[in-house]
């Protein structure tokens, strides 16, 4: 039987990736300190560097998505209620 997979928190990943970016210690030193494979640290470092511009992006994009996500179910409910009203008008 193999070992169970370990899961790491986002805070831990960010901490290790930032230390790797600083370059004070080598990947092998960080790997032995945090008990993580060096390839995993380099992957986290790449992810942090590729997603860094999104951290400082304005929140307008996120607000637009959430606004659409909020209004879509409401419009669906309005449609259902209109159908119910039409059905009731026919039955009366």
């Amino acid at each position: 039987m193999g070992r169970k997979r370990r899961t790491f928190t986002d805070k831990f990943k960010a901490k290790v990736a930032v230390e790797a970016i600083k370059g004070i210690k080598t990947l092998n030193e960080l790997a032995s300190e945090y008990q993580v494979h060096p390839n995993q640290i380099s992957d986290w470092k790449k992810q942090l560097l590729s997603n860094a511009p999104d951290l400082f992006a304005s929140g307008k994009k996120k607000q637009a998505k959430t606004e659409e996500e909020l209004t879509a179910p409401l419009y669906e409910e309005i449609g259902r209620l209109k159908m119910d009203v039409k059905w009731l008008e026919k039955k009366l």
Side-chain angles (χ1 to χ4, degrees), residues 6-21 27 29-45 47-48:
R6 294 188 302 173
T7 56
F8 300 102
T9 63
D10 294 338
K11 282 185 176 183
F12 178 78
K13 291 177 186 179
K15 177 182 172 184
V16 175
V18 167
E19 285 192 32
I21 290 171
L27 287 179
E29 290 173 342
L30 290 172
S32 64
E33 182 178 340
Y34 292 110
Q35 299 298 313
V36 180
H37 198 275
N39 291 343
Q40 187 66 57
I41 295 174
S42 63
D43 287 344
W44 291 342
K45 179 181 171 182
Q47 288 177 4
L48 180 64

Side-chain angles (χ1 to χ4, degrees), residues 20-81:
I21 290 171
K22 286 181 183 177
I24 297 172
K25 296 181 181 178
T26 64
L27 287 179
N28 288 330
E29 290 173 342
L30 290 172
S32 64
E33 182 178 340
Y34 292 110
Q35 299 298 313
V36 180
H37 198 275
N39 291 343
Q40 187 66 57
I41 295 174
S42 63
D43 287 344
W44 291 342
K45 179 181 171 182
K46 287 176 190 175
Q47 288 177 4
L48 180 64
L49 292 174
S50 66
N51 294 331
D54 296 337
L55 295 174
F56 300 106
S58 64
K60 292 180 182 178
K61 292 179 184 176
K62 292 180 182 178
Q63 289 176 352
K65 288 181 182 178
T66 56
E67 188 175 322
E68 289 175 6
E69 290 171 356
L70 291 174
T71 56
L74 296 175
Y75 285 122
E76 289 175 13
E77 188 174 354
I78 289 171
R80 274 189 240 114
L81 292 174

